[in-house]
């Protein structure tokens, strides 16, 4: 059996699956249930200063569903904990005593003043917690008060607050980054410059998920009004994977440990995050959708996959795919594939033909020879993969690699043209 034990910046846990700072980690009752279910660790819901925050008493979530009613995204307008600080600290202390083998990280957010950060850190240290996570990501409510994403969007603030915290505590300091920024590398570099032991990402994406066309208000609606919130769940996973890879590939941050967050629902999601450089993963929406027992599938699935692939420890997975992420200009432009349709699996729905005919390269033709069927025109197919994406039958359409390319130019010719274009006076991105 593969060894799933995790050592993330000195914080040990029996597996790499942590619950993220969110409603599921707001109190001892929830966290105890999570540990009983098998979670390796938690990041306690973000603590602030007394007096406590006041949350809304109406709907706090807006949902995005697929056609089959599967939850693919949640919009959250809940703020940080609304429970007294002393109550949270007492519960953290007790839970850590009861579960010494599980990771206990405490998320923090206070006004951007040195005394505030240093004051709360000392109180957290006294609980026996394993580490702290600085919440520089929350995009709603708190950011309007100069906290959360308001700090995370300014690299200088990230570096400054991180340095305050590292000067104050010996606990590992994890900096949680906001995705609501142009280039995630800059806040990651700032966190490292401030001495952060690790970064975690992504926090939620600022969003409005829907509008009630009867009341003409965004959802969730509070007394006729709505606000932007934080978007999470499976829908944000592609954004999160890209940002994790950006940090793992950046020469200035490649060595900083990463805790991956954003749409982790299955063991496969977790493996993808780790393959791109994450040392562990944090989960929220999956637990809120399926309950804490969802971790069973994550643990068994990851274990089975690692055994099958010969990975004895998590270290052999982390960063394995990072070298294969490259800039577009380095892709092999003479690599050619063509679509192939398995006629035995085809149900003749025609979706591939319609989308190729209407929106792509007119490379799939409809033929009727006593039986309706679809064929690929190789001369027109550019290997775009759209037909594979829309086909409702798994593996009915596949992409076949051709042994030789069709572009008469050499790869060096193509790269030279690309380099010339990027510096051409007519290119608005060249700065000329």
């Amino acid at each position: 059996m593969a060894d799933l034990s995790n050592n993330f910046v000195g914080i040990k846990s029996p597996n790499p699956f942590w619950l993220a700072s969110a409603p599921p980690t707001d109190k001892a009752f929830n966290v105890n249930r999570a540990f009983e279910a098998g979670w390796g660790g938690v990041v306690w819901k973000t603590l602030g200063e007394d007096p406590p925050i006041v949350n809304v008493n109406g709907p706090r979530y807006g949902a995005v569903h697929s056609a089959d009613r599967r939850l693919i995204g949640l919009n959250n307008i809940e703020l940080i904990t609304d429970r007294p600080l002393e109550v949270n600290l007492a519960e953290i202390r007790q839970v850590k005593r009861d579960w010494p083998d599980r990771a206990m990280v405490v998320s923090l957010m206070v006004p951007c003043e040195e005394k505030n950060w240093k004051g709360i850190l000392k109180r957290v240290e006294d609980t026996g917690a394993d580490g702290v996570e600085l919440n520089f990501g929350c995009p709603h409510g708190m950011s309007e008060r100069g906290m959360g994403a308001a700090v995370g969007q300014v690299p200088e603030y990230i570096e400054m607050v991180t340095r305050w915290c590292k000067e104050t505590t010996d606990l590992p300091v994890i900096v949680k980054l906001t995705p609501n920024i142009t280039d995630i590398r800059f806040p990651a570099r700032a966190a490292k410059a401030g001495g952060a032991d690790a970064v975690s990402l992504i926090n939620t994406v600022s969003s409005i998920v829907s509008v009630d066309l009867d009341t003409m208000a965004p959802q969730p609606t509070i007394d006729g009004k709505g606000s932007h919130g934080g978007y999470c769940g499976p829908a944000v996973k592609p954004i999160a994977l890209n940002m994790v890879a950006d940090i793992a590939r950046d020469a200035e941050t490649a060595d900083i440990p990463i805790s991956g967050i954003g749409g982790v629902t299955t063991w496969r999601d977790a493996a993808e995050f780790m393959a791109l450089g994450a040392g562990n993963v944090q989960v929220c929406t999956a637990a809120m959708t399926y309950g804490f027992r969802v971790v069973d599938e994550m643990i068994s699935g990851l274990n089975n996959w690692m055994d099958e692939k010969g990975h004895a420890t998590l270290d052999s997975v982390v960063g394995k795919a990072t070298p294969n992420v490259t800039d577009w200009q380095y892709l092999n432009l003479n690599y050619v594939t063509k679509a192939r349709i398995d006629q035995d699996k085809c149900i003749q729905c025609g979706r591939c033909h319609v989308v190729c005919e209407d929106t792509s390269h007119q490379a799939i033709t409809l033929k009727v020879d006593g039986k309706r069927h679809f064929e690929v025109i190789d001369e027109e197919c550019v290997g775009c993969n759209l037909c594979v994406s829309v086909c409702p039958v798994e593996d009915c359409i596949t992409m076949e690699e051709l042994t030789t390319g069709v572009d008469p130019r050499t790869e060096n010719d193509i790269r030279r043209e690309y380099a010339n274009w990027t510096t051409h006076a007519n290119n608005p991105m060249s700065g000329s």
Side-chain angles (χ1 to χ4, degrees), residues 26 45-46 52-56 60 79-84 88:
D26 190 33
K45 186 175 180 184
T46 306
I53 289 291
V54 177
N55 270 296
V56 296
R60 299 181 183 183
L79 303 181
I80 65 175
T81 185
D82 51 15
R83 304 166 70 234
N88 276 298

Side-chain angles (χ1 to χ4, degrees), residues 349-360 362 364 372 374 386 390:
C349 68
R351 288 180 63 183
C352 62
H353 168 67
V354 169
V355 298
C356 189
E357 193 74 10
D358 286 353
T359 70
S360 196
Q362 299 77 52
I364 297 180
R372 162 186 165 103
F374 302 90
L386 177 61
V390 302

Side-chain angles (χ1 to χ4, degrees), residues 144-388:
E144 290 92 321
R145 309 176 196 203
M147 294 179 272
V151 177
Q153 290 167 339
V154 184
E156 293 80 3
Y157 290 174
I158 294 174
E159 181 177 347
M160 176 180 68
V161 176
T162 303
R163 183 169 285 112
W164 291 341
C165 294
K166 285 298 296 178
E167 290 171 352
T168 305
T169 182
D170 292 327
L171 293 175
V173 174
I174 304 168
V175 173
K176 190 172 187 179
L177 303 178
T178 177
N180 303 295
I181 194 163
T182 305
D183 191 332
I184 197 66
R185 293 174 299 176
F186 292 103
R189 291 171 186 172
K192 182 181 177 182
D197 296 284
V199 293
S200 59
L201 69 154
I202 58 173
N203 208 310
T204 53
V205 180
S206 187
S207 63
I208 293 176
V209 292
S210 62
V211 174
D212 186 320
L213 295 179
D214 293 320
T215 65
M216 288 298 173
Q219 294 181 321
T221 305
I222 307 296
D223 194 25
K225 302 288 184 182
S227 177
H228 73 280
Y231 193 47
C232 58
V236 308
K237 176 189 161 190
I239 300 169
L241 287 175
N242 180 57
M243 290 188 170
V244 165
D246 276 348
I247 293 173
R249 294 175 57 221
D250 183 36
E252 295 186 38
T253 58
D255 59 344
I256 192 166
I258 301 169
S259 184
I261 313 170
V264 177
T265 307
T266 68
W267 69 265
R268 184 178 294 275
D269 298 328
E272 290 175 13
F273 270 93
M274 289 189 285
L276 285 175
N280 67 9
V281 293
Q282 297 183 34
V283 180
C284 173
T285 307
M288 295 179 72
T289 304
Y290 304 108
F292 287 148
R293 299 303 307 187
V294 71
V295 77
D296 284 342
E297 185 275 339
M298 294 179 180
I299 293 171
S300 62
L302 184 61
N303 222 323
N304 292 338
W305 173 77
M306 289 177 63
D307 283 344
E308 179 185 333
K309 297 296 183 180
H311 296 295
T313 66
L314 295 173
D315 287 341
S316 68
V317 177
V318 175
K320 196 76 171 178
T322 307
N324 293 324
V325 182
T326 188
D327 294 337
W328 191 95
Q329 62 177 311
Y330 300 120
L331 296 176
N332 180 2
L333 300 185
N334 279 309
Y335 176 82
V336 177
T337 61
K338 301 291 181 183
R340 294 290 179 258
I341 301 173
D342 187 330
Q343 299 298 334
D344 292 332
K345 292 182 179 179
C346 181
I347 60 174
Q348 291 86 46
C349 68
R351 288 180 63 183
C352 62
H353 168 67
V354 169
V355 298
C356 189
E357 193 74 10
D358 286 353
T359 70
S360 196
H361 293 84
Q362 299 77 52
I364 297 180
T365 183
L366 166 62
K367 291 193 175 183
V368 181
D369 299 326
K371 179 183 177 183
R372 162 186 165 103
H373 69 283
F374 302 90
E375 292 182 2
V376 176
I377 307 170
D378 275 5
E379 294 76 13
E380 302 298 334
C381 178
V382 301
C384 72
N385 202 45
L386 177 61
C387 54
V388 177

